[in-house]
Amino acid sequence: MPAVQTKPIVVNQGRSLADYRVLVLPGLYGSEPAHWQSRWERLYPAFERVVQDDWDTPALPVWSQRLQQVLHTSGQPAIIVAHSFGCLTTAHLAKLQQDDGLIAAALLVAPADPEKFKVVPEVQTTLPFPSLVVGSSNDPWMTASRARYWAGQWGSDFVQAGALGHINAESGLGDWIEGQCLLLDLLQRIT
């Protein structure tokens, strides 16, 4: 396994992740310490977690409002690194057009199924920023075909990452090097 690079990697005409805020947006119950999102925060201390008041209640308007509040604490554009219900939160905020152009791109990993949460109308939109949806062939919460469908709805590129379950701590991904590479690929798509 290659070593994790902790210094900003320069790509896209001299841009690096350091040019953006990286906001980590966990899903339901937050991301425990073994989750790749939490591990990325430890690897890259500049990454910021969007903390919800109640991780146990998936309330889309409340979670979107919190994301909006965090976005407005700085004028620096952000790259969202979302997992599960965090993906729906990102889409909902974009539909409301309340990001004020502060979202530069979004990595949407193992999205929660909007039908399960009965929020299809709230997240049915084309995202106004580059985005990449990452799905798993054996995700128990959203089939790969449904993840691909939602990637199409959102105007996102889609990556089928293989049999990684819900792409969470139980998937045993460690620092998820492949995901870090996807994040850097997404950085190159920002115009």
Side-chain angles (χ1 to χ4, degrees):
M1 181 180 294
V4 175
Q5 189 159 8
T6 57
K7 294 182 181 178
I9 298 174
V10 178
V11 293
N12 192 17
Q13 300 175 356
R15 289 189 184 156
S16 74
L17 284 177
D19 296 324
Y20 301 92
R21 293 173 75 193
V22 178
L23 299 181
V24 176
L25 188 56
L28 196 57
Y29 312 120
S31 293
E32 61 271 19
H35 194 289
W36 60 267
Q37 285 183 313
S38 299
R39 294 174 68 103
W40 286 12
E41 288 176 81
R42 290 191 299 274
L43 285 170
Y44 304 100
F47 286 17
E48 303 171 56
R49 179 174 292 229
V50 177
V51 178
Q52 301 296 337
D53 288 334
D54 183 358
W55 287 113
D56 298 342
T57 305
L60 202 51
V62 174
W63 285 37
S64 296
Q65 182 178 18
R66 174 56 54 85
L67 175 56
Q68 182 183 26
Q69 289 169 346
V70 171
L71 284 166
H72 282 95
T73 61
S74 168
Q76 185 179 21
I79 297 174
I80 306 294
V81 176
H83 181 259
S84 195
F85 198 78
C87 300
L88 303 185
T89 302
T90 303
H92 182 250
L93 183 64
K95 182 168 184 170
L96 297 175
Q97 298 179 338
Q98 293 180 349
D99 69 50
D100 296 332
L102 289 174
I103 299 176
L107 180 64
L108 306 170
V109 180
D113 193 333
E115 287 184 7
K116 176 182 178 182
F117 290 97
K118 299 177 178 34
V119 295
V120 170
E122 290 91 335
V123 299
Q124 203 149 27
T125 189
T126 300
L127 301 178
F129 41 78
S131 56
L132 178 63
V133 171
V134 182
S136 166
S137 62
N138 63 343
D139 187 337
W141 304 109
M142 168 93 91
T143 67
S145 62
R146 292 288 298 155
R148 185 182 300 275
Y149 167 82
W150 279 102
Q153 292 294 302
W154 294 329
S156 305
D157 291 326
F158 179 77
V159 170
Q160 168 31 291
L164 300 179
H166 193 48
I167 314 180
N168 56 10
E170 288 77 32
S171 302
L173 298 172
D175 293 336
W176 194 33
I177 303 301
E178 295 82 5
Q180 292 180 50
C181 292
L182 292 173
L183 178 60
L184 293 175
D185 180 54
L186 179 62
L187 176 66
Q188 295 179 50
R189 301 174 195 201
I190 300 172
T191 56

